[in-house]
Amino acid sequence: MPAVPASPAPLADPSSLAAALRAAGCVFAEDEARLILATARTAEEATAMAQARASGLPLEHVLGWAEFHGLRISVGPGVFVPRRRTEFLVDQALLRAPDARVVVDLCCGSGALGAALAVALDGAEVHAADIDPAAVRCAHRNLAPHGGHAHTGDLYAALPAGLRGRIGILTANVPYVPTAEVPLLPAEARDHEPAVALDGGPDGLDVLRRVATGAAEWLAPGGCLLSETSARQADAALAAFTHAGLAAHMAVSHEWNAHVVIGVR
């Protein structure tokens, strides 16, 4: 993607900023221009943000936030950007456990799922965990205003022992891209998001299987585990949940092209 000239004239209106972004190959230039101008404090800052975007930085990293489930979620360099399709997972969790009082978001990244559930389940105890310290710092920023907690560590090992057997909603937006396909991802993801948040092993389901295996020990009776996967991995994901002793089924949104495997203890 070609870069914006090093020192363009200050961009003070959406049309001029959109023209610069379009020249750099941004498909949704008009929408991105409006978001940059709404976020930037000065014309000079808007120009710098446009340059960063034109260099290939994800728009959300340029803005410093991503929209998710009606919230503005803080994101930063090296942190996985929450996808809008994952809002379907949040909706499914609320549909199946509308009265959950304990929520855990594993592989939390920015903490977007935990924050969305904290808002929807006012007063619930919310925890999030990730193996990446940068993600945990970001998750802390997003969860702290809602009373949530972020922990660093590998899956369940990161969680306080007192949560064992108490979790009503357990979300795990695990990495599920097969290792051989990571180089084929769009550059925004491949070059600017951590590999640990993308690479799910040879068939993309390594982390999902580990999450499923440990879930029954941590879920409350009737508690549910929800994890996003792809259409072609759906059968194997269901088998992993069933093998772990969960009553499993798949929820699909054709609108969002989202597939969520759900397991109930």
Side-chain angles (χ1 to χ4, degrees):
M1 180 182 293
V4 167
S7 300
L11 299 168
D13 64 85
S15 59
S16 57
L17 182 54
L21 292 172
R22 195 179 306 108
C26 297
V27 176
F28 301 105
E30 288 76 10
D31 293 337
E32 295 189 8
R34 283 191 291 270
L35 289 169
I36 287 174
L37 285 171
T39 302
R41 291 162 294 186
T42 65
E44 290 75 17
E45 186 175 17
T47 300
M49 292 168 73
Q51 291 174 328
R53 175 65 181 129
S55 73
L57 197 66
L59 176 67
E60 294 82 2
H61 288 169
V62 171
L63 299 173
W65 58 270
E67 182 183 352
F68 185 82
H69 213 265
L71 302 177
R72 183 172 286 197
I73 299 295
S74 173
V75 296
V79 175
F80 182 80
V81 175
R83 285 17 175 195
R84 294 296 302 274
R85 67 172 176 268
T86 308
E87 293 179 4
F88 179 67
L89 188 155
V90 173
D91 292 339
Q92 291 299 306
L94 294 171
L95 180 66
R96 281 156 179 77
D99 300 317
R101 305 318 301 156
V102 179
V103 173
V104 169
D105 179 16
L106 291 182
C107 302
C108 69
S110 66
L113 278 72
L117 289 167
V119 170
L121 300 168
D122 187 30
E125 180 183 353
V126 177
H127 296 263
D130 202 288
I131 199 169
D132 184 351
V136 174
R137 289 192 295 270
C138 187
H140 175 74
R141 292 196 299 272
N142 288 311
L143 289 170
H146 310 294
H149 310 275
H151 312 277
T152 306
D154 185 19
L155 301 181
Y156 300 105
L159 300 179
L163 294 176
R164 191 176 276 109
R166 296 179 52 226
I167 300 171
I169 293 176
L170 174 58
T171 64
N173 193 20
V174 300
Y176 59 88
V177 179
T179 301
E181 297 178 20
V182 171
L184 306 178
L185 290 172
E188 289 183 6
R190 184 183 67 239
D191 297 340
H192 297 285
E193 293 181 325
V196 70
L198 303 171
D199 189 341
D203 69 350
L205 297 176
D206 280 3
V207 182
L208 182 143
R209 291 189 184 95
R210 291 181 58 212
V211 170
T213 298
E217 178 184 355
W218 290 85
L219 287 171
C224 57
L225 165 65
L226 304 96
S227 191
E228 191 172 278
T229 188
S230 69
R232 63 190 170 100
Q233 295 166 317
D235 289 344
L238 281 169
F241 274 43
T242 301
H243 183 73
L246 303 173
H249 66 282
M250 186 70 61
V252 178
S253 168
H254 297 292
E255 176 185 1
W256 289 104
N257 190 28
H259 297 74
V260 174
V261 59
I262 301 168
V264 179
R265 177 186 168 192

